[in-house]
Amino acid sequence: MIYSEKVMDHFTNPRNVGEIADADGVGEVGNAKCGDIMKMYIKVDDGVISDVKFKTFGCGAAIATSSMATELIKGKTIDEALKLTNKAVVEALEGLPPAKLHCSVLAEQAMKSAIADYYKKQGVDPTPIIGDIGDCEDCHGCH
Amino acid sequence: MDKKLIYCDNAATTKVSKKVLDAMLPYFTEEYGNASSIYMLGQSAAKALLKARETVAKAIGAKTHEIFFTSGGSEADNWAIKGMALNGAKSGKKHIITSAFEHHAVLHTCEFLEKQGYEVTYLPVDEKGLINPNDVKNAIREDTCLVTIMFANNEIGTIQPIKEIGEICKEKKVPFHTDAVQAVGNVEIDVKALNIDMLSLSGHKIHAPKGVGALYVRGGISLPNLIHGGAQEKNKRAGTENLPSIVGLAQAITDAVQNIKEKQEKVSKRRDRLIDGILKIQETRLNGDREKRLCGNVNISIRGVEGESLLLMLDMYGILASSGSACTSGSLDPSHVLLAIGLPHETAHGSLRLSISEETTDEDIDYILETIPKVVDRLRSMSPLWERICKNEGITGTI
């Protein structure tokens, strides 16, 4: 298994690590049993994700995909962010080993889950907008 | 500044020593004959082969004719287990006893045999990573054709009660095989005193090259062939002998068993410094018995961090180690060894194995002990799992 230079760059120098104390939305996905947990914080101003931070427990790919996902959605509108797929994260990282593709799925879910939390806090039901986010339980690998 | 490189993964493989390499080199371009050939060049190869066989036999207290060279530990394990299974089947004995935390070369071979209609008992190990000899005794049945228990565990380094198990097997007249790949050169081994019937060993764990190993088979046991063909290895294992590597193995095992007590003392002191130093980090635990342990093995679980990211970050500091996390095991489950000693998945994901050698210096240990807390601090500070552990258990800080 070999990581691309881009993955190693985002693992070594992850962008947007940390927390946002007064976040407008927080999403957490994954579980400790499988070895990956991602937590994402967003700040939203006029429908634009003005700031985003993450914390991740997981492998190199988990940290790199979290970092890349935050970079891709920072400064974007919520609508634009929701169009971000795990595939786009993988492409931006110049590929991931097949065994690590689930990390990119987790990054997409963490971002969507933070946006869903934002909508909920606004009193808006996120389901019609975001759809089913899915969660770690959908991956049957560890059970 | 030169990038530091501290190799702490000697349980995975070792560097070929200069002495071994020098011993091997003539066998590539000068003494390149086939040991089966009649002319002088062939005969000198045959002599070197015999000498290597004598050397390896002596190192483990065996007789020369009891040593069969193989391509490594995995082949030796496969040969011993499948061979005894075939022998057993002739008299209706199709039951094998092993342990839950063997190397995959043993476990997957046993699983293969289960599919062929054999029954396998996987003995449990206790929380310290030790097998209870009484469990072996109680598991032996009329139809048991083999007991195969590893000498020392490759991940947590625990040394098993081989002598006791050997005695039980002798008394019950059941052949006893041990995978001693990690033990040879680290533990004194006398196959006769320990009542071992078959023993697997590997070259690349003791500073010989990869691709060479041996199986000791006690005289009187007739093991069927795994590889058919020419008459090499007393008609038992076909294929032109890998003489350069076999000569390398003989040199390596000679060096490994020489002054073994001194080596154990020197290396285990450094191991203990490492263990004590790393355990100063909060929420860490040593995996495997502290005393009955290979002199170079450290295996510690660090809560709130994941093993692969730990390894990648240590690599950036020039420390090369290993982990039992799922991400490094190539599957989604963490190490079967750590699960066998009862670790929860999340703790197993955060395990770190450092396997040091005689070459590891006190300065290396200082550097490792300076570096690990930095890396753990960095990973825990970005870990939502650590955040949760702290919140639930009232822990403060990261290290």
Side-chain angles (χ1 to χ4, degrees), chain B residues 308-342:
Chain B
E308 191 207 84
S309 47
L310 191 62
L311 299 189
L312 290 171
M313 215 164 263
L314 286 173
D315 185 26
M316 295 189 305
Y317 285 95
I319 298 168
L320 315 187
S322 125
S323 168
S325 85
C327 281
T328 53
S329 73
S331 76
L332 287 161
D333 278 320
S335 137
H336 68 287
V337 174
L338 299 176
L339 297 180
I341 61 166

Side-chain angles (χ1 to χ4, degrees), chain B residues 78 81-82 98 102-115 122 336:
Chain B
N78 269 265
I81 298 167
K82 288 176 187 162
T98 188
E102 295 292 313
H103 188 275
H104 285 135
V106 169
L107 279 186
H108 289 170
T109 304
C110 287
E111 285 161 16
F112 164 78
L113 288 169
E114 279 182 299
K115 287 187 192 126
Y122 299 93
H336 68 287

Side-chain angles (χ1 to χ4, degrees), chain B residues 137-177:
Chain B
K137 196 174 193 170
N138 296 333
I140 293 176
R141 311 189 314 210
E142 285 287 311
D143 63 341
T144 305
C145 61
L146 178 71
V147 170
T148 174
I149 303 282
M150 69 199 324
F151 207 117
N153 185 270
N154 48 309
E155 290 188 37
I156 56 175
T158 49
I159 301 167
Q160 302 307 315
I162 293 301
K163 190 165 195 284
E164 290 84 340
I165 296 170
E167 267 164 27
I168 291 164
C169 291
K170 192 184 177 191
E171 191 195 308
K172 299 268 188 182
K173 297 191 171 60
V174 177
F176 173 40
H177 165 255

Side-chain angles (χ1 to χ4, degrees), chain A residues 1 3 8 11-14 17 19 28 32-35 37 39 41 54-61 63 100 102 141-142, chain B residues 304-306 308-310 312-313 316 326-328 330 332-334 345-346 349 378-388:
Chain A
M1 188 194 70
Y3 284 138
M8 284 313 293
F11 169 73
T12 318
N13 305 297
V17 179
E19 296 167 31
E28 186 179 308
K33 195 185 171 212
C34 299
I37 303 174
K39 198 169 180 180
Y41 301 77
F54 80 92
K55 274 181 126 182
T56 290
F57 159 78
C59 61
I63 291 172
K100 300 290 186 180
H102 74 278
C142 5
Chain B
V305 304
E306 191 281 328
E308 191 207 84
S309 47
L310 191 62
L312 290 171
M313 215 164 263
M316 295 189 305
C327 281
T328 53
L332 287 161
D333 278 320
H345 277 66
E346 60 169 278
H349 286 304
R378 174 133 190 245
L379 289 170
R380 278 183 173 170
S381 69
M382 60 192 285
S383 163
L385 177 61
W386 179 247
E387 183 187 309
R388 192 186 302 161

Side-chain angles (χ1 to χ4, degrees), chain B residues 242-258:
Chain B
N242 178 2
L243 193 56
S245 292
I246 288 170
V247 168
L249 171 64
Q251 182 64 52
I253 204 166
T254 305
D255 299 341
V257 299
Q258 248 172 20

Side-chain angles (χ1 to χ4, degrees), chain B residues 36-69:
Chain B
S36 304
S37 303
I38 197 71
Y39 42 74
M40 285 300 288
L41 195 68
Q43 288 312 296
S44 64
K47 265 186 208 159
L49 185 62
L50 177 64
K51 196 170 155 244
R53 204 182 303 280
E54 283 168 359
T55 308
V56 172
K58 206 174 140 213
I60 58 166
K63 292 178 185 137
T64 306
H65 67 272
E66 294 174 322
I67 299 297
F68 297 86
F69 292 114

